Amino acid sequence: MRRAVHASARELATPDDSARNRFPRQARLTRPGEYQRVFSGAKRYGDKYFTVLAAHNDRGYPRLGMAVARRAIPRAVGRNRIKRQVRESFRHIQGELGSWDLVVLAKASARDASNECLQRSLARVWQRLKR
């Protein structure tokens, strides 16, 4: 039964969607050294809800890492909601960003913001990064 649900979900996705708007493992920062490189030599972009640290990479595509502190957002459900919003925003814009390693840091004010507000905030940060 479970496989049938997954198979039908795959059938609903158009080839255009799956090729363009994915978030594969290669688009993520996964190792502590990768995060450390971004933290040590990054440009900072930010607003009321997020700080984005950006460092050029030589891979030809952007990669995303997130650091949502328990101190800023104490409840796991809140941290997970913010991470989902960041991933979704990045997934749609990643083809336009260029070769950056990005670390998104959430501020405490993001906890009470609506999803739409967070998406607008991230869109502004991505636009500044693209310039």
Side-chain angles (χ1 to χ4, degrees):
M1 185 75 153
R2 193 171 193 180
R3 284 187 180 168
V5 171
H6 290 286
S8 64
R10 273 188 242 128
E11 292 168 4
L12 292 175
T14 64
D16 224 23
D17 291 338
S18 64
R20 183 181 32 173
N21 291 329
R22 293 181 46 210
F23 188 55
R25 185 169 177 84
Q26 71 181 16
R28 303 174 198 164
L29 297 178
T30 57
R31 295 193 166 90
E34 296 169 343
Y35 277 88
Q36 199 57 38
R37 190 180 70 77
V38 175
F39 279 114
S40 66
K43 296 180 182 181
R44 290 180 176 265
Y45 302 89
D47 64 2
K48 181 178 177 182
Y49 304 111
F50 298 102
T51 298
V52 177
L53 305 175
H56 279 286
N57 69 34
D58 56 357
R59 296 180 180 250
Y61 53 87
R63 296 187 306 166
L64 176 68
M66 289 177 276
V68 182
R70 186 179 296 166
R71 179 178 287 180
I73 295 123
R75 294 181 51 113
V77 67
R79 291 191 302 275
N80 291 338
R81 178 181 72 94
I82 289 169
K83 288 190 265 186
R84 278 193 308 272
Q85 294 301 315
V86 172
R87 277 193 299 269
E88 183 68 9
S89 179
F90 177 78
R91 193 174 66 83
H92 287 290
I93 196 76
Q94 67 183 337
E96 303 171 27
L97 285 179
S99 300
W100 292 97
D101 283 344
L102 306 166
V103 175
V104 177
L105 307 167
K107 296 181 181 178
S109 57
R111 176 183 56 203
D112 300 321
S114 69
N115 291 345
E116 293 79 21
C117 190
L118 295 176
Q119 290 295 322
R120 283 193 307 269
S121 172
L122 288 165
R124 283 191 302 268
V125 173
W126 301 144
Q127 289 301 319
R128 288 179 56 197
L129 184 64
K130 287 191 323 187
R131 289 187 215 149

